[in-house]
Amino acid sequence: MKTKLGFLLILLLLIGGCGSVDSVQQHVEKSYTNEDGLIYAYPDDPKSEYLSESIGLYMEYLVLTRDEKTFHEQYKLLKAHFVTGKNGTSFVFWRLNEQATTNALIDDVRIIEALQQAATVFGREEYAETATTLGESIASVQQQDGSTVDFYDWTLALPAQRLTLSYVSENQWISDTSLALLKNTESTEIFFPEYYDTKQQLYKKSNEVHLIDQLLIAINRQKLGEASPTFLSWVKKEWPSDQRLYGRYDRKTQQPTVDYESLAVYYYLHAYLTVAGEEQLAREVFQRATALGTDDLLNEAHFFDYMHYQLLLENSKPATDSF
């Protein structure tokens, strides 16, 4: 009991030390937002990319913190700048760019789920209607042989011919065929294949693996009832060596190919260890993330890392209520 109370006290102090909920929104507005309210990728660099990934992560955070006003502002920006309608369908630009003609499944699903949650939390039916419109478009044309695929090119009217496995989660708009490909992927090797080629009907592997992708695959397999014991054993063996993991690894040697740590990696590592029932290791990961998440690092972080760190802090607060 004392151990749990002590951990909660440390957690609250760490969260308090990182600023209030309002300070996150203020920091986003000050460091990541242009004069139109759109979020760019790198702090104080409005020439960096404007991504649907960013708006989806921020919407997820705003629902979690019950910030209805800022969420609605982001919703209006989403509709005005990111959503495009083509041939009776609606898609989200994966980035704001004159040459962009595709969406990205993982980012769309994040936005759809944030909208669905916001409809419940804030009681606004328009959010649910937009989520349904986007989801129906994915289900209707973003398919290959029954699989929901990475993207749809609305200029060419063609879906992708691959399914990146880290994009697959249990969502009503992702087909059962895609879920089966995730569940049935090779799990006796340490690292998973990166994607499934729908044309060749083969799983494909890269020589260098991105740990975020591997963790997402393991998390979503676990949520589907499929454990990944070989990958979990590797994590449990690798973590104690120096209490850190890196962003990329060599598939054959299992050695890191980069020397950087990532706040987003720790967000997903914490999430994976939690769903896998490894609560002590999850606490250690949280402690490492908060040690790494200094003001100096956060003030230079890509929005993807910055927002995942804030989501980690928010998700780790003692539960009060749920959606």
Side-chain angles (χ1 to χ4, degrees):
M1 184 67 177
K2 289 182 179 179
T3 302
K4 288 185 178 180
L5 289 173
F7 173 71
L8 287 176
L9 179 59
I10 291 171
L11 173 60
L12 291 172
L13 287 171
L14 285 168
I15 293 172
C18 293
S20 65
V21 168
D22 286 342
S23 70
V24 173
Q25 282 88 322
Q26 290 169 358
H27 182 71
V28 170
E29 183 176 358
K30 176 184 175 182
S31 300
Y32 290 98
T33 305
N34 72 5
E35 60 186 13
D36 295 323
L38 293 165
I39 298 168
Y40 42 81
Y42 283 99
D44 305 315
D45 184 6
K47 293 183 179 180
S48 57
E49 289 191 305
Y50 294 76
L51 304 170
S52 63
E53 167 189 275
S54 298
I55 197 169
L57 284 168
Y58 197 32
M59 291 177 110
E60 184 180 341
Y61 178 82
L62 295 170
V63 176
L64 196 60
T65 57
R66 306 298 200 269
D67 185 345
E68 182 175 2
K69 178 178 180 293
T70 309
F71 184 93
H72 193 65
E73 291 169 355
Q74 291 300 313
Y75 173 72
K76 290 189 292 184
L77 290 168
L78 173 75
K79 294 271 287 184
H81 297 276
F82 281 91
V83 175
T84 182
K86 299 289 181 180
N87 302 321
T89 59
S90 292
F91 287 97
V92 178
F93 288 104
W94 79 271
R95 64 176 178 176
L96 294 186
N97 181 292
E98 291 180 2
Q99 284 74 46
T101 61
T102 66
N103 61 321
L105 179 63
I106 190 172
D107 301 326
D108 291 3
V109 169
R110 182 185 291 115
I111 288 169
I112 288 168
E113 291 180 347
L115 288 168
Q116 290 172 328
Q117 291 173 351
T120 300
V121 172
F122 303 133
R124 299 190 70 141
E125 184 60 29
E126 62 183 305
Y127 298 157
E129 291 171 356
T130 300
T132 298
T133 298
L134 295 173
E136 287 177 343
S137 295
I138 292 171
S140 64
V141 296
Q142 197 170 320
Q143 304 273 334
Q144 280 282 8
D145 297 327
S147 294
T148 309
V149 290
D150 284 6
F151 62 83
Y152 180 74
D153 188 318
W154 49 80
T155 299
L156 300 176
L158 289 174
Q161 293 185 333
R162 60 183 278 169
L163 172 62
T164 299
L165 296 174
S166 58
Y167 289 11
V168 183
S169 60
E170 193 171 21
N171 179 276
Q172 70 185 101
W173 305 113
I174 293 180
S175 70
D176 290 341
T177 302
S178 294
L179 293 177
L181 289 171
L182 177 65
K183 291 179 68 174
N184 296 332
T185 187
E186 177 62 61
S187 60
T188 57
E189 296 182 7
I190 289 174
F191 296 125
F192 305 101
E194 275 76 18
Y195 69 96
Y196 183 81
D197 187 308
T198 57
K199 185 176 182 179
Q200 298 182 28
Q201 298 186 350
L202 292 172
Y203 289 102
K204 298 288 186 174
K205 303 174 184 178
S206 300
N207 293 330
E208 184 183 53
V209 300
H210 292 241
L211 195 54
I212 286 177
D213 292 337
Q214 297 294 311
L215 288 164
L216 272 166
I217 292 169
I219 289 167
N220 289 318
R221 279 172 50 83
Q222 190 78 34
K223 289 180 178 180
L224 290 169
E226 291 291 331
S228 305
T230 309
F231 179 71
L232 180 59
S233 295
W234 176 81
V235 170
K236 292 170 67 175
K237 180 181 177 182
E238 194 74 14
W239 177 258
S241 61
D242 56 3
Q243 297 282 293
R244 67 190 65 189
L245 289 178
Y246 297 94
R248 302 181 189 185
Y249 285 81
D250 183 275
R251 180 178 291 277
K252 289 184 178 179
T253 67
Q254 293 92 53
Q255 294 301 306
T257 57
V258 296
D259 60 2
Y260 66 80
E261 296 172 85
S262 161
L263 293 172
V265 165
Y266 288 144
Y267 170 86
Y268 288 110
L269 181 58
H270 180 271
Y272 175 54
L273 291 170
T274 299
V275 297
E278 299 289 341
E279 295 181 1
Q280 176 56 40
L281 284 181
R283 286 192 288 269
E284 292 177 12
V285 170
F286 178 86
Q287 290 165 359
R288 177 59 189 165
T290 52
L292 188 65
T294 63
D295 287 343
D296 287 344
L297 180 64
L298 293 174
N299 287 336
E300 296 180 357
H302 190 286
F303 193 77
F304 184 79
D305 276 298
Y306 176 78
M307 210 66 250
H308 273 103
Y309 183 66
Q310 301 304 329
L311 286 165
L312 173 63
L313 296 181
E314 196 64 33
N315 281 318
S316 298
K317 288 181 178 179
T320 53
D321 56 1
S322 59
F323 296 123

